[in-house]
Amino acid sequence: MLHKEEGSIEQDRELIKHVVSQMESAFNRHDADALDSHFTQNATWVNVIGEKLSGWNEINKVHKIVLTGPLSNSYSKYTVDSIAFIHSTVAIVHVRQCSTTSDGNRIDGGQESIAIYVMVKEMNTWRLAAGQNTLLKSY
């Protein structure tokens, strides 16, 4: 476990939660550029259908297609489950996502997933360097 000053840890937790909130907002506006502004240039992302995307350009190209196409009427709530610092500039973040209506109400029986974000701090800004989004089975 990383030893950081308590105030620094809490500040970084809040910064990370803010990034996740901004990503949720961008997703719900179907704005690929705003969503992807939180990825590093050399990021790797595995989406919910198991497609591996490498680099900001490829991630952004795919997000532009899906956010204006198949996901153009999709909305989601992002909830940070956990944040673990493995270095002062690296955090592992688990984010749950659930389908919502356009006004933010949860859809019972809607799609749910959990994502793992590997986030890095570059010049006091947290960005997603690697991640994977996985559908959760409904029981």
Side-chain angles (χ1 to χ4, degrees):
M1 182 63 158
L2 175 70
H3 291 68
K4 290 178 70 172
E5 291 183 30
E6 193 61 38
S8 174
I9 289 174
E10 282 311 308
Q11 181 180 18
D12 281 331
R13 284 184 194 283
E14 291 307 312
L15 290 170
I16 289 168
K17 287 177 183 179
H18 182 69
V19 168
V20 173
S21 175
Q22 289 179 325
M23 292 177 75
E24 173 190 313
S25 178
F27 177 87
N28 288 331
R29 291 189 322 271
H30 306 98
D31 184 341
D33 290 337
L35 176 65
D36 299 337
S37 71
H38 301 287
F39 285 80
T40 64
Q41 285 298 306
N42 62 346
T44 299
W45 179 252
V46 178
N47 63 26
V48 76
I49 61 171
E51 181 180 29
K52 180 185 172 202
L53 308 172
S54 297
W56 189 92
N57 289 333
E58 184 176 16
I59 292 166
N60 186 249
K61 178 182 174 184
V62 170
H63 281 166
K64 282 184 175 185
I65 292 167
V66 299
L67 288 175
T68 59
L71 298 179
S72 63
N73 291 313
S74 295
Y75 303 90
S76 191
K77 172 70 179 155
Y78 292 23
T79 304
V80 174
D81 262 5
S82 64
I83 300 171
F85 294 96
I86 58 173
H87 185 273
S88 61
T89 60
V90 181
I92 305 298
V93 183
H94 283 94
V95 178
R96 288 193 179 265
Q97 299 162 318
C98 66
S99 296
T100 68
T101 61
S102 61
D103 54 358
N105 294 317
R106 186 183 179 119
I107 298 172
D108 288 334
Q111 179 176 302
E112 294 187 42
S113 64
I114 188 165
I116 184 170
Y117 295 177
V118 178
M119 298 189 75
V120 296
K121 190 175 186 180
E122 298 176 330
M123 300 177 66
N124 292 322
T125 301
W126 285 96
R127 297 197 190 287
L128 201 147
Q132 180 167 338
N133 195 14
T134 304
L135 281 177
L136 295 174
K137 290 183 177 182
S138 57
Y139 295 96

